[in-house]
Amino acid sequence: MSVTRERIIELGEDLIRTKGYNAFSYQDISSELGIKNAAIHYYFPTKANLGTSIVKTNIQRFEEMVDNMHSRGFDEVQQLNTFIKIYIKSYREQKVCLVGALSPAFDTLNEVTQKELSKMIDLILQWLTNILITGKQKGLFAFNELPESRASIIFSSLVASLQFSKVISTIDYKNICLSIEEGLKP
Amino acid sequence: MSVTRERIIELGEDLIRTKGYNAFSYQDISSELGIKNAAIHYYFPTKANLGTSIVKTNIQRFEEMVDNMHSRGFDEVQQLNTFIKIYIKSYREQKVCLVGALSPAFDTLNEVTQKELSKMIDLILQWLTNILITGKQKGLFAFNELPESRASIIFSSLVASLQFSKVISTIDYKNICLSIEEGLKP
DNA sequence: TTTGCCACTTACTTATTAGTAAGTATATTT
DNA sequence: AAATATACTTACTAATAAGTAAGTGGCAAA
């Protein structure tokens, strides 16, 4: 694959996560990469194409992470912790996650991008739900809610607290993450 | 106050909550209200002015709600439930909350709007934290985390699950809300 | 009756946006 | 050596954005 293409996707993701989908332009990318506006259109004819590719790349990255954890024989506690660490990294980088950046702008997205975003959230929530079910069966986790609801609460806590941490400095994000994990202990 | 001014603020809030701050334009408002573009600029010279006014109006609304609950003698369980009901209403209207719409676009906002948004999130989190502390003292709530962390987790769950509910249809928002309340029971 | 203010409209500017058509240098294949 | 594909650039269009300056109709106070 093309290096430029990969750089465009990388920078596009960064811009979505810092400014939002409707606030970044092809100019933002081209000027940063030292190329011309039309070069972006060469790889991604429309902004919707780029948006879709960025979400697809993120889905792939998530799936690779899950595969990697399975091949390493991670248990449910370790898997959840690995996932949470991604969010702590985003917190340090002062960026919201892709899902948290795109979801509020859902109505303004292209249909194809919308479907990919749906797929991504579905995938994460189903994975988290299964982690919770299996972890509970193994006695690694304890909770009273439906696993689907608890999964939504955990994922939402990570996503929105990250959004808040950009706005207010008093958010103790690491402690929130710790509380999420502690709250599942038997 | 002017009826038109109030309508602009109302419609502006709606647009932010459906499309996002950087996706709506003065044209969206003026065409909907049957007035001209410049009429909006008469009341709000810049988009930043309008954004700030919308956040300020929301802060005022929140403070009025809190005052109202106090004067009605609501206990902590009732107060939390009243707050959650606002989010269930937003869910039915297929709109994210103002905080969830603006926070991801924080970097693109005017400094004054940023400060008002910070103030709003601070206000809500401080109120929620106090509700949790007092409710726990009264034996109405039980939880192990720091009240600040639990407040962040609860608020984040409401905000981000609402965002997800716009993207995926399988989100059982009412059950998530129920789980949040159940999870605090002694 | 005139003066002045309020709530706009008309008509405009400037900047930025996504997107396109045609051209070009370099490397690769035939 | 010629043809072709790749990875762009040049130069543009059309639409939309925020914002402004000057004008206007109606109503109220002086």
Side-chain angles (χ1 to χ4, degrees), chain A residues 80-93:
Chain A
L80 178 62
N81 184 257
T82 305
F83 184 68
I84 287 176
K85 272 181 183 159
I86 298 170
Y87 275 82
I88 291 177
K89 192 187 167 206
S90 295
Y91 165 72
R92 276 197 301 263
E93 291 169 350

Side-chain angles (χ1 to χ4, degrees), chain B residues 57-185:
Chain B
T57 303
N58 266 262
I59 289 175
Q60 212 180 334
R61 203 188 300 159
F62 174 75
E63 284 173 335
E64 279 165 15
M65 186 200 66
V66 173
D67 284 349
N68 190 274
M69 289 192 295
H70 282 150
S71 66
R72 287 185 181 208
F74 277 24
D75 69 17
E76 284 67 28
V77 175
Q78 291 172 311
Q79 285 192 56
L80 178 62
N81 184 257
T82 304
F83 184 68
I84 288 176
K85 272 182 181 157
I86 298 170
Y87 275 82
I88 291 176
K89 193 187 167 206
S90 295
Y91 166 71
R92 277 198 301 264
E93 290 169 350
Q94 298 259 62
K95 287 178 209 157
V96 301
C97 66
L98 190 69
V99 159
L102 290 179
S103 294
F106 186 74
D107 293 353
T108 70
L109 301 177
N110 174 272
E111 274 184 39
V112 185
T113 314
Q114 286 183 339
K115 281 200 175 165
E116 287 302 318
L117 183 59
S118 303
K119 197 177 148 189
M120 185 169 172
I121 296 180
D122 254 335
L123 215 65
I124 293 172
L125 282 179
Q126 268 172 39
W127 168 80
L128 233 184
T129 303
N130 283 328
I131 289 282
L132 291 177
I133 292 171
T134 316
K136 194 180 184 182
Q137 280 169 350
K138 288 189 188 173
L140 296 169
F141 296 142
F143 54 91
N144 295 316
E145 308 92 345
L146 289 174
E148 289 81 10
S149 292
R150 186 65 180 243
S152 289
I153 288 172
I154 290 172
F155 188 36
S156 295
S157 300
L158 292 170
V159 171
S161 293
L162 190 59
Q163 293 174 351
F164 297 161
S165 75
K166 283 192 72 172
V167 179
I168 58 172
S169 49
T170 50
I171 283 274
D172 189 349
Y173 196 73
K174 284 176 191 171
N175 195 57
I176 289 166
C177 291
L178 214 70
S179 296
I180 290 169
E181 292 177 298
E182 291 282 328
L184 283 170
K185 282 195 179 166

Side-chain angles (χ1 to χ4, degrees), chain B residues 5 19 26 31 34 42 49 56 109 112 121 131 147 172 179:
Chain B
R5 196 192 131 96
K19 305 175 71 175
Y26 271 29
S31 62
Y42 170 72
N49 290 141
K56 276 187 174 171
L109 301 177
V112 185
I121 296 180
I131 289 282
D172 189 349
S179 296

Side-chain angles (χ1 to χ4, degrees), chain A residues 4 36 38-39 42-43:
Chain A
T4 305
K36 295 297 161 185
Y42 171 73
Y43 290 102

